[in-house]
Amino acid sequence: MQLGPVQRRQRALPDAWMSRSEADSPAEGCSTSLFLKLATRILKRSFVASLCSTLLLSGCSTTRKSTVSDLQYLLEPDCRVDDNRNYDTRISWPNLDNTTAQAVQSTIEPRSLSRRVEDEVREIQLSECFHIALSHNDIIETSALGGVGAKVVLTNPQGANSVYDAAIQETGILFGRRGLNAALSDFDTTFATGITWGRSSGRNNLAATPLTLNTAETAAFRSSLTKAFASGGSIQFSHDWDYLGTNSPGAYYPSSYAGSIGAQIRQPLLAGSGTEFTRVAGPVNPSFGSIAGVSQGVVIARINQDITLADFETAVRNAMADIENAYWDLYLAYHSYDTAVVAHKSALETWRISNIAVEVGGNGKIGPVDELLAKDRVYETKASTETALNGIFRAESELRRLLGMPMNDGTVLRPVDEPSVAEFVPDWQGSLTKALTQRSELRRQKWQIKSLQLQLNAARSLVRPRLDAVASYDINGFGDKLLGQNTQDPVTGLPTRNGFGSMAHDDLESWTLGLQFSMPIGFRQAHSQVRNYELQLAKANAVLAAQERNIAHDVANAVQEISSTYTAAQSSLKRMKAAAERVEKYRIILEVGGSNREVDNSMDVVVRAQERLAAAEIAFYQQVSAYNKAITSLHVATGDLLEHNNIWLAEGAWNADAYCDAQAKSAARAYGIDNPKVDAHPPEFAVDHPVGTVELSPRVMPGNVISSPVPERPYEPVSPVEPAATTEPAPATEP
């Protein structure tokens, strides 16, 4: 059988080793000395060992430039250099057991211009939209700018707001973002225990017992309970036993037990001392040092929770604003489509009249060119109608996405609420006061400032030496047995106790009391930490001032937008009325004829009039939609959008054990021993109402948005409000 290259090499290696061994053997009559033989064998074996180590460590790769065919391996002849590389760089998908929602999998094909179906119309109110969004969405959806793939849940899924954020923060364990449970865990009692066995043997070097084999068997048991206090101190209870069994001639007992039960107390007196420091920074942990900082306490965890709730409220408010804007966009899309349909019907009627006039001769003023102009207008309005219809499809899809509804469930959403057309005059002082006291962004920033103030005070506590009061007390025990009956000493004849008996009756005690002092020369790290928090606090105050300034601008812009859109809507209404009268007048002239001046270029004039009427009607509804969006923007700017729509956010109930613990602690404070030097109730750092320096308006309460004292003047397309005689522009005189 013919052997392959690898097989030949495997068979050749033993032959080569055998030939070298025979050449070195005495049977060959070699004259090499024994020293040279040993040296040669050692070098050969070292070379082979180094070669094998190189092959094993290098695996399937090499550092020199070579092809795969140049490499020969004994164990894996089919190995290729690029196997792992191709596998590691290949795009793969995780193996998850998640299931896509059935509503997403089985959604109906969306409506489009190429797929028009008569689906059931579902009239929907704005309040119903809010209810659907709040009950269906775990992830808070917001409007997307940038087209396909630009939504926050796709571009930044970790940054998407959700109903889980508050719970995630409450259960956080990372430094700087710890929840209440993680912060309270610093004060949990820690139990630790362990037991180890060992044996050692050795010889001694004593003249009396030369080269005696000494054997020692050992065992060690350790157990402790450690508890940290809110004052920064700690206490530890320990129970230890050590066993020694030996054959050493110097030992009194061949086996003995030595143990102790004791307590150790440590209380900081300068740096890191006090309840206020511990509530903010947490107990000082020497293992972490400066890594943990001064932000691991229960108070900071509570503030972080409030910051998360403020972020959640802001996200919900923005989502409701987006839903309301999408609702009015869909309303505008429907009216734009209705306007386009009416314009298309008018264009068809005009084309019909012109076509008949051309065929029968008409009144002599309409020719083939006019008929083609009317036909051009027909197709122009048809394209506008199709574009407006697609606008309905897009607006409905956007509203469905924000509400968390399927793309198509066999129904067509149609807004049933009419937009407000009454004049709304917001009170400037009341709106500004409300915005500066109730905006969730300001509440969040004020919580951040409060957190930094507390951390700064805690950091200043560390710019002091570390002085700890320490004390310990132990009850010791010793015996040749751990448990059992008392025995008699064979030498003295006195009774000896077991280990626990000795601990209880022999008065073997030990105690320590003292102070431990340490300080870094210069306190450079502590001073740097203080300066860092001072700068952070200065920046946070500057950010708060900038936020208040920007919020005032937001309110001003919203008030200006309300006034602008309402005025523009009134003007658009008058324009629409004038355009409708003009179209009607030219329609009559086109049908029955008129003076030469009125019918000159009549078809072009009629087409232009119809086009301007459609544009005026669309502009009117655009201004009405913008007017209602401006009112929504004012509610967003003042921070009362959720309250205005009867949406209230509340924290869920606590665990039942938490109420029991709180009641027990309250009873302990109420019925404890009165000590005027101890403050049982920590100072409040939170209140249930806004606090600030905003001066209240003497006329209105904070944030009260009022209407104008004059009666509301609703305007309708069929009966527009006529302006005052002094503001009506004089009619232009025709040449």
Side-chain angles (χ1 to χ4, degrees), residues 134 139-142 159-163 165 308-322 440-441 641-642 649:
L134 293 174
I139 303 298
I140 301 176
E141 297 285 355
T142 56
N161 298 101
S162 70
V163 297
D165 292 345
T308 303
L309 293 176
D311 291 336
F312 178 74
E313 180 181 347
T314 302
V316 173
R317 181 204 66 194
N318 294 339
M320 296 302 103
D322 291 339
S440 56
E441 294 92 338
L641 179 65
L642 300 180
L649 304 179

Side-chain angles (χ1 to χ4, degrees), residues 138-378:
D138 291 337
I139 303 298
I140 301 176
E141 297 285 355
T142 56
S143 59
L145 300 177
V148 178
K151 303 174 183 62
V152 176
V153 72
L154 298 177
T155 58
N156 185 20
Q158 296 297 328
N161 298 101
S162 70
V163 297
Y164 305 101
D165 292 345
I168 290 174
Q169 169 58 40
E170 187 175 359
T171 56
I173 60 173
L174 299 178
F175 286 146
R177 300 296 298 176
R178 298 208 304 173
L180 287 175
N181 289 332
L184 291 172
S185 67
D186 293 336
F187 303 97
D188 292 344
T189 302
T190 303
F191 172 71
T193 185
I195 185 170
T196 58
W197 291 270
R199 177 185 174 89
S200 62
S201 300
R203 300 281 186 179
N204 60 22
N205 193 23
L206 300 177
T209 56
L211 299 180
T212 301
L213 179 62
N214 293 332
T215 302
E217 295 180 352
T218 60
F221 171 77
R222 301 286 183 268
S223 62
S224 64
L225 288 174
T226 306
K227 169 70 176 178
F229 297 129
S231 61
S234 63
I235 185 172
Q236 183 182 47
F237 297 96
S238 60
H239 182 200
D240 304 332
W241 283 103
D242 291 313
Y243 167 77
L244 175 62
T246 179
N247 62 350
S248 175
Y252 191 79
Y253 292 120
S255 63
S256 62
Y257 294 87
S260 64
I261 296 178
Q264 299 83 35
I265 300 178
R266 175 181 294 271
Q267 174 61 47
L269 301 178
L270 293 179
S273 63
T275 305
E276 292 300 321
F277 176 87
T278 308
R279 294 174 67 228
V280 175
V284 176
N285 192 340
S287 301
F288 293 100
S290 61
I291 299 178
V294 290
S295 60
Q296 309 305 310
V298 178
V299 174
I300 302 302
R302 162 65 193 276
I303 292 178
N304 291 338
Q305 185 73 14
D306 288 316
I307 291 176
T308 303
L309 293 176
D311 291 336
F312 178 74
E313 180 181 347
T314 302
V316 173
R317 181 204 66 194
N318 294 339
M320 296 302 103
D322 291 339
I323 290 174
E324 188 166 352
N325 291 336
Y327 186 86
W328 298 127
D329 287 339
L330 183 58
Y331 173 88
L332 174 61
Y334 272 104
H335 276 280
S336 298
Y337 176 71
D338 293 340
T339 301
V341 170
V342 172
H344 183 57
K345 291 180 179 180
S346 300
L348 282 174
E349 181 66 18
T350 303
W351 183 36
R352 185 187 64 82
I353 296 175
S354 62
N355 188 292
I356 294 174
V358 170
E359 289 181 356
V360 300
N363 52 18
K365 294 298 183 179
I366 300 177
V369 177
D370 297 323
E371 191 266 344
L372 291 175
L373 178 61
K375 187 176 182 180
D376 174 80
R377 175 61 181 168
V378 169

Side-chain angles (χ1 to χ4, degrees), residues 435-509:
L436 294 177
T437 54
Q438 295 193 5
R439 281 286 291 268
S440 56
E441 294 92 338
L442 296 181
R443 186 171 78 251
R444 183 193 191 282
Q445 186 63 21
K446 289 178 180 179
W447 275 125
Q448 187 67 28
I449 292 175
K450 186 64 177 180
S451 176
L452 290 174
Q453 288 176 347
L454 295 174
Q455 293 179 59
L456 176 60
N457 294 333
R460 287 171 176 167
S461 173
L462 298 180
V463 190
R464 295 184 297 178
R466 181 66 186 266
L467 179 63
D468 295 349
V470 294
S472 66
Y473 177 79
D474 295 295
I475 298 176
N476 303 320
F478 179 82
D480 62 339
K481 296 180 181 179
L482 185 62
L483 293 172
Q485 297 180 353
N486 297 333
T487 60
Q488 187 175 9
D489 191 323
V491 178
T492 62
L494 298 176
T496 59
R497 305 181 185 275
N498 57 55
F500 281 103
S502 173
M503 188 177 293
H505 299 88
D506 289 351
D507 295 333
L508 303 177
E509 302 175 349

Side-chain angles (χ1 to χ4, degrees), residues 3 15 45 55 67 93 146 166 209 212 220 264 270 338 345 385 464 504 583 623 685 697 711 714:
L3 299 178
D15 296 337
R45 293 177 180 177
L55 292 176
T67 62
W93 291 84
T209 56
T212 301
Q264 299 83 35
L270 293 179
D338 293 340
K345 291 180 179 180
T385 303
R464 295 184 297 178
V583 168
Q623 294 300 328
F685 68 94
S697 172

Side-chain angles (χ1 to χ4, degrees), residues 462 464-466 517-526:
L462 298 180
R464 295 184 297 178
R466 181 66 186 266
F517 179 86
S518 65
M519 61 172 290
I521 304 300
F523 290 100
R524 286 196 294 181
Q525 180 174 330

Side-chain angles (χ1 to χ4, degrees), residues 644-660:
H644 177 74
N645 292 292
N646 293 323
I647 299 174
W648 307 93
L649 304 179
E651 297 184 44
W654 288 1
N655 188 291
D657 295 339
Y659 293 99
C660 296

